[in-house]
Amino acid sequence: MNQSEKTLLLGNAAVARGLYEAGCSFVSSYPGTPSTEVTEEVANYPEVYAEWAPNEKVALEAAFGASLSGVRSFAGMKHVGLNVAADPLFTMAYTGINGGLVIAVADDMGMHSSQNEQDSRHYAISAKVPMVEPADSEECRSFVKAAYELSERFDTPVLFRLSTRIAHSRSLVALADREDVARREYVKNPQKYVMMPANARGRHVFVEDRMAKLAELAETTGLNKIIPGDKKLGIIASGIAYCYAREALGDNASYLKLGLIHPLSEKLIREFAASVDRLIVIEELDDVFESQIKKMGIACEGKSLFSLLGEYSAELIEKVICGKETSGYDLPAPVPGRPPVLCPGCPHRGVFYVLSKLKLTVSGDIGCYTLGALAPLSALDTTLCMGASISGLHGFVKAGGEEAAKKSVAVIGDSTFIHSGITGLINIVYNQSNATVMILDNSITGMTGHQQNPCTGKTLQNDPTYAVDLEALCKAVGVKRVSVVDPFDIAAVEATVKEELAANEPSVIIARRPCALLKSVKAQPALKVDADKCRRCKACMKIGCPAISFDAEHGAKIDFSLCTGCGLCEKLCKFDAIIG
């Protein structure tokens, strides 16, 4: 391959390219925006085995097993996914690795698709493993290769931090050939890999020694760079924050751009700080760099100028540091808000309509069905984390007694149920709470872009595989009452919910219909409203379908370009005004 060849790549695609070029052989991940495309893209390289795991913990443990066998391996996840994988991560820091192991974690500043805004740099510090962070797509590619070198040189897993803007922006990447990385021999070594207390005590000594050696490397690594400019102002930043600062300030500042963000290079930071008149640390989310730099006794500014919340921008940095107000484009009128909604034809809509109608307390979960919390459905009461709907319902019912059991349900998607809902259901059966769980089975992992999961019968490469039988699984853990309903049959849904709430034992209702956006799902002819029959009762508006609009003069109207012909609104109209 021509080493000068360049192509425009998404940050996540560049990470995948880096995995390919670095000789990675095994990839296991769980989809989660903004990290999903890394694994989808690397699956296009036949030299790399790639899979979707049931959850992030399983993915990281599988990657560790592959590393143990002697090959370079990878696990990818979003920031909250690292919470799930934290258990193996912290002990893996003690065991070390065999073949190189890189773990990508994508933080979601601004919470574009997440339930919190945590800063994953804390994991690197707490677990005592190195972390690198790229600032563009080219670094996404090259830093992956550097991360594997770090991993194998220092016998450690390496965290690879992405952010939404880096993961989902494009820049030029110089392509290279794939490295021919020999499989490392596996040698049985219980003292290294069996973390019982006696062995773990010795490995903790190794971890501290390794961190000291990594700190020495931080002083000379090419992952950190000084970009000279005006000495009156010095900026320390990494990742997208560096890009914003560079765009805002140009040559009016000097920069220490950090690529190895844990451990920090103390000597380099001291030298840089001494070379500038004013030092500002720019970092999104927490004051991780600033706190460590101040602990070194170096005076700097940071969060006294910038927020702990959300994303930054070049305009914000220019305003804060230079006092300039960038004049934006003046719109002739305010732009109306566009809150996310369930898609036209979404099978979850009928379920949430019924739950809202029955005025039930609904324990929600993570997925596109979380949108059922929004008006006019307003069906969900809680959303915490993957699997929490079922566990939370158990606690709610146990604490609230029989009255709570008759008026509350949990909802969870098929992929999320596999991810971490099964254990919650086992807990309901084992501890005998009279709880009703609804599994919203739309035959795909919908929220992150239609990834396969263990219920779909297809692998990441769309090859056929065994599909988990949800009915049999629920019965196997001890649920005797398992029913299946079509969510578009709202009369059946309502009757089934009432029946199961009245039962004095745990029950599961599987609401099964494929996602309306699947290619295999063919839309029906669009419905329309007979204006002469419309009584303007607004019953059709209660389901929150974006294909239906209403005005007082003309009544309801259906946008034929959006309508999938699901017929849900037709079932709600008592005046036969909605027709095919």
Side-chain angles (χ1 to χ4, degrees), residues 265-325:
S265 169
E266 182 171 347
K267 181 181 177 182
L268 186 63
I269 291 172
R270 288 188 182 281
E271 291 176 353
F272 180 74
S275 71
V276 299
D277 298 335
R278 183 187 182 191
L279 183 62
I280 299 177
V281 180
I282 301 178
E283 52 186 330
E284 291 181 321
L285 301 183
D286 296 340
D287 55 343
V288 174
F289 296 157
E290 182 185 357
S291 294
Q292 293 183 74
I293 292 169
K294 286 182 174 177
K295 188 178 179 181
M296 299 172 191
I298 300 171
C300 64
E301 300 169 80
K303 293 304 178 184
S304 60
L305 302 173
F306 294 97
S307 173
L308 291 163
L309 311 176
E311 292 184 293
Y312 295 170
S313 66
E315 292 78 11
L316 172 68
I317 291 171
E318 186 176 29
K319 176 182 177 182
V320 169
I321 295 178
C322 304
K324 293 182 180 180
E325 287 280 2

Side-chain angles (χ1 to χ4, degrees), residues 29-87:
S29 305
Y30 184 81
T33 305
S35 68
T36 305
E37 295 88 356
V38 174
T39 304
E40 290 179 329
E41 291 287 341
V42 82
N44 295 322
Y45 296 101
E47 298 89 344
V48 184
Y49 169 79
E51 67 179 23
W52 290 128
N55 63 34
E56 295 86 357
K57 181 177 185 291
V58 172
L60 183 51
E61 290 162 348
F64 172 75
S67 164
L68 196 64
S69 79
V71 303
R72 288 184 168 181
S73 64
F74 172 85
M77 60 205 70
K78 67 184 295 179
H79 62 292
V80 288
L82 191 55
N83 298 336
V84 180
D87 194 2

Side-chain angles (χ1 to χ4, degrees), residues 105 107 109 119-125 129-135 139 143 150 158-163 211 214-215 217-218 221 223-225 236-242 256-266 269 282-284 288-290 292-293 296:
V105 53
D107 285 0
M109 297 81 165
D119 190 326
S120 293
R121 291 177 294 173
H122 294 291
Y123 272 110
I125 296 169
V129 296
M131 176 180 266
V132 299
E133 181 175 14
E139 289 187 350
F143 279 22
L150 280 175
V158 176
L159 287 171
F160 192 89
R161 188 192 191 214
L162 294 164
S163 65
M211 287 305 301
L214 281 164
L217 173 81
T221 179
L223 296 173
N224 301 324
K225 295 179 180 179
I236 297 180
S238 69
I240 194 63
Y242 163 76
L256 173 52
K257 176 181 170 294
L258 299 174
L260 179 61
I261 62 173
H262 182 70
L264 291 182
S265 169
E266 182 171 347
I269 291 172
I282 301 178
E283 52 186 330
E284 291 181 321
V288 174
F289 296 157
E290 182 185 357
Q292 293 183 74
I293 292 169
M296 299 172 191

Side-chain angles (χ1 to χ4, degrees), residues 334-493:
V335 177
R338 296 185 64 188
V341 293
L342 294 171
C343 301
C346 175
H348 304 324
R349 182 170 279 110
V351 171
F352 288 136
Y353 169 78
V354 169
L355 299 182
S356 182
K357 176 185 175 183
L358 296 177
K359 294 180 171 57
L360 301 180
T361 298
V362 181
S363 181
D365 224 293
I366 303 297
C368 49
Y369 49 89
T370 308
L371 296 172
L374 302 179
L377 292 167
S378 303
L380 298 187
D381 289 79
T382 66
T383 298
L384 185 62
C385 63
M386 301 280 273
S389 63
I390 299 178
S391 306
L393 177 66
H394 167 74
F396 189 81
V397 167
K398 275 292 185 181
E402 194 63 25
E403 183 178 354
K406 301 302 181 186
K407 295 182 179 179
S408 56
V409 300
V411 293
I412 190 169
D414 50 325
S415 178
T416 310
F417 179 71
I418 295 295
H419 179 285
S420 50
I422 298 171
T423 48
L425 186 62
I426 292 172
N427 188 47
I428 282 175
V429 175
Y430 174 65
N431 286 305
Q432 303 176 37
S433 61
N434 182 15
T436 301
V437 174
M438 299 190 72
I439 301 175
L440 311 185
D441 182 4
N442 65 350
S443 306
I444 204 70
T445 308
M447 181 174 64
T448 49
H450 285 184
Q451 290 77 31
Q452 304 295 341
N453 67 64
C455 290
T456 66
K458 293 183 180 180
T459 66
L460 170 58
Q461 293 80 10
N462 285 313
D463 294 329
T465 186
Y466 179 80
V468 172
D469 185 331
L470 289 176
E471 296 95 304
L473 176 59
C474 293
K475 290 178 179 179
V477 303
V479 180
K480 299 176 182 178
R481 301 180 64 89
V482 180
S483 53
V484 180
V485 296
D486 180 350
F488 283 169
D489 187 346
I490 54 176
V493 172

